[in-house]
Amino acid sequence: MSNSGLVKSSIGRKLVMALSGLFLLVFLLQHLIINLLSVISPTSFNEVSHFMGTNGIIQFAMQPILIGGIVIHYIMGIVLTIQNKKARPIAYIVDNQKANSTWISRNMIFTGLTILAFLVVHFIDFWIPEVVTKFINQDWSGLEDGIEGFRYHHELVGKFSGTRGIVKASVYTIAFTFLGLHLAHGFASTFQSVGFRHGKYTPTLVKIGKAYSVIVPLLFALIVWFHALVSAH
Amino acid sequence: MNLTLKIWRQKDSKAKGAVETYPISDISPDSSFLEMLDVLNESLVLKGIVPVAFDHDCREGICGMCSLYINGEAHGPDRKVTTCQLHMRMFKDGDTITIEPFRSAGFPVVKDLVVDRSAFDKIQQAGGYVSVNTSGNTQDANAIPIPKRDADMAFDAATCIGCGACVATCKNGSAMLFVSAKVSQFSLLPQGKVEADRRALNMVGKMDELGFGNCTNTGACEVECPKGISLDNIARMNSDFLKASIISEEK
Ligand code: HEM
Ligand code: SF4
Ligand code: FES
């Protein structure tokens, strides 16, 4: 088999899925740290946001790579799911899957598509307005009339204020729950996919995965609720 | 025991097939599942009905021939047993038991509950062997020292009987557990390492070509495998395959 065979092989596709998933896991940590700043120190949050939003490398290299990673991950997820459905053209009449596997491991496409739906909402909420300000209005200053310092923290709090903020926080919380479920299987699964399974390290990795899938989504949710209930008042 | 059996009946590979219901009575809890089907078939013959076709051979859990998806699980509800070793005491009097053939694009139905698993033979022929000259002067295998752990793992992998329960169980119809057992059995041993790259590439290539699905690490296969073949083997094959396709020059 030649190297073009790698990409077309089932294990090659798993490698793509695993590497893009791993990349998203790392990205999530970075995203979380910046979000935490919005609670701990609005000034640092503003500074980091301005840096991330105006730095050429981040805007024109990292951001396209990130979007590419997400696109590859979900396109491959959909491709794999379609192929896997084809591998069982006739379904069982009785299929007791819960006897041998967890719900989360069987529903990665479902939890994944929920995250994708959330990403659309999240993009409309945060990303599109930024694109409009920077690329259409050509305003890269990070400033806004009537606001002292950078505008980012002020805008964030605005987005979560009032009843709409509560509704938004609830939608975000649901999405974070599905993210947690996706990662509860995905984290450890990545290592199995790339062929790393070790008697000494795998049990620890599984534990780290469980912790990651609870702590990271939980912190994301707490931050959102902090802004909806505390900052906005 | 009195039971209601719902069995998939299909005249031949082209027929559409449907579920038929057969009541059955006076089954001993100590009989095996296949013996229960024998009793059913005798009664069907007496009634002039074509008996239910199902696969079996050794009836002692070693050949891998018996199959059946029983109440939603390959080889039924018991663990680490084949259907011939499944006993009726696993069921309750009055139960309804649904019996279906293994379902996979790679395992077409031949008749009733019999499926064609020759796809596994094709995967084996693609590399599941060690090439040696049987000239009569082959080296004594015990002359090569092998770490006990490796020998044990290779032996465990070699207990795979090729029954296909892993494929039947997997929601993706993936054959990874079977193929990984066959790959590991050799790649763990010095005699098999020599051809490890080519073996991994060819066997995985054949598996993909025959229409088996992609593994998503649900782990269902390991639970339903009558021989307890471990997911360790899949990880080993993944890394063998990736090394072979990225690092080695083997095509
Ligand atoms: C922040 C977002 C996301 C993260 C961090 C993430 C992470 C992961 C990880 C780590 C895996 C395990 C990979 C493996 O088993 O090798 C995975 C698998 C999967 N993801 Fe995602 N994912 C995200 C979004 C999505 C989206 C938007 C979809 C939409 C379709 C999706 C669909 C899937 C599917 C179907 C699998 C299972 C594939 C398999 O196990 O082979 N994911 N994800
Ligand atoms: S791995 Fe287990 S379930 Fe799969 S064919 Fe071998 S013995 Fe059967
Ligand atoms: S008939 Fe041989 S394993 Fe069941």
Side-chain angles (χ1 to χ4, degrees), chain A residues 7-215:
Chain A
V7 196
K8 285 192 212 117
S9 74
S10 53
I11 298 176
R13 285 188 293 255
K14 293 251 22 168
L15 179 71
V16 171
M17 208 59 208
L19 293 182
S20 56
L22 196 63
F23 172 68
L24 294 176
L25 283 173
V26 175
F27 159 73
L28 273 185
L29 274 187
Q30 171 254 314
H31 197 321
L32 176 65
I33 291 168
I34 297 180
N35 286 14
L36 280 172
L37 283 181
S38 76
V39 173
I40 302 164
S41 160
T43 329
S44 329
F45 174 74
N46 272 335
E47 269 159 28
V48 174
S49 298
H50 189 68
F51 171 77
M52 300 290 288
T54 51
N55 182 284
I57 296 175
I58 288 168
Q59 283 294 304
F60 300 106
M62 303 296 272
Q63 188 158 291
I65 292 175
L66 172 64
I67 293 172
I70 295 174
V71 170
I72 288 173
H73 186 76
Y74 82 72
I75 288 182
M76 197 53 104
I78 291 168
V79 168
L80 285 171
T81 306
I82 292 171
Q83 283 183 333
N84 292 347
K85 285 262 171 326
K86 265 198 220 141
R88 165 134 332 117
I90 303 170
Y92 290 109
I93 297 160
V94 179
D95 202 358
N96 189 13
Q97 294 178 329
K98 65 177 187 310
N100 51 43
S101 53
T102 58
W103 185 92
I104 46 170
S105 73
R106 281 181 269 119
N107 289 281
M108 290 300 274
I109 189 67
F110 172 68
T111 49
L113 287 174
T114 333
I115 302 169
L116 190 63
F118 163 77
L119 282 180
V120 174
V121 175
H122 188 53
F123 266 43
I124 293 172
D125 210 10
F126 282 86
W127 196 66
I128 306 239
E130 279 299 308
V131 170
V132 170
T133 312
K134 286 177 199 152
F135 293 94
I136 299 182
N137 301 340
Q138 295 288 335
D139 175 6
W140 290 73
S141 68
L143 304 171
E144 206 179 304
D145 292 342
I147 297 167
E148 213 175 297
F150 290 128
R151 61 184 161 82
Y152 309 101
H153 187 263
H154 179 83
E155 277 179 4
L156 171 70
V157 172
K159 284 187 212 290
F160 284 100
S161 66
T163 324
R164 271 191 62 223
I166 306 273
V167 174
K168 208 180 279 180
S170 310
V171 171
Y172 274 50
T173 307
I174 295 170
F176 296 147
T177 310
F178 283 110
L179 176 67
L181 294 173
H182 196 75
L183 301 183
H185 175 71
F187 190 102
S189 177
T190 309
F191 296 94
Q192 171 80 4
S193 296
V194 298
F196 183 82
R197 191 179 173 93
H198 191 286
K200 283 183 191 144
Y201 309 115
T202 299
T204 315
L205 277 173
V206 169
K207 278 189 206 129
I208 296 176
K210 293 251 162 68
Y212 185 111
S213 65
V214 174
I215 295 169

Side-chain angles (χ1 to χ4, degrees), chain B residues 42-109:
Chain B
E42 275 169 30
S43 75
L44 291 182
V45 170
L46 288 177
K47 284 187 209 142
I49 302 172
V50 183
V52 179
F54 61 90
D55 264 325
H56 60 104
D57 189 6
C58 71
R59 296 213 177 191
E60 53 184 15
I62 55 169
C63 74
M65 202 56 205
C66 57
S67 52
L68 308 186
Y69 215 66
I70 302 163
N71 278 350
E73 284 182 82
H75 298 301
D78 208 354
R79 290 286 169 256
K80 301 222 172 116
V81 293
T82 50
T83 300
C84 58
Q85 299 294 297
L86 174 69
H87 285 88
M88 294 312 293
R89 52 181 168 270
M90 289 300 293
F91 300 90
K92 289 194 299 294
D93 189 35
D95 273 1
T96 298
I97 306 177
T98 306
I99 312 169
E100 297 172 75
F102 281 180
R103 297 279 189 204
S104 156
F107 292 165
V109 173

Side-chain angles (χ1 to χ4, degrees), chain B residues 122-147:
Chain B
K122 294 190 188 116
I123 296 172
Q124 279 286 59
Q125 284 154 10
Y129 50 79
V130 173
S131 313
V132 284
N133 288 326
T134 48
S135 55
N137 54 9
T138 40
Q139 189 186 2
D140 176 13
N142 290 323
I144 309 168
I146 297 167

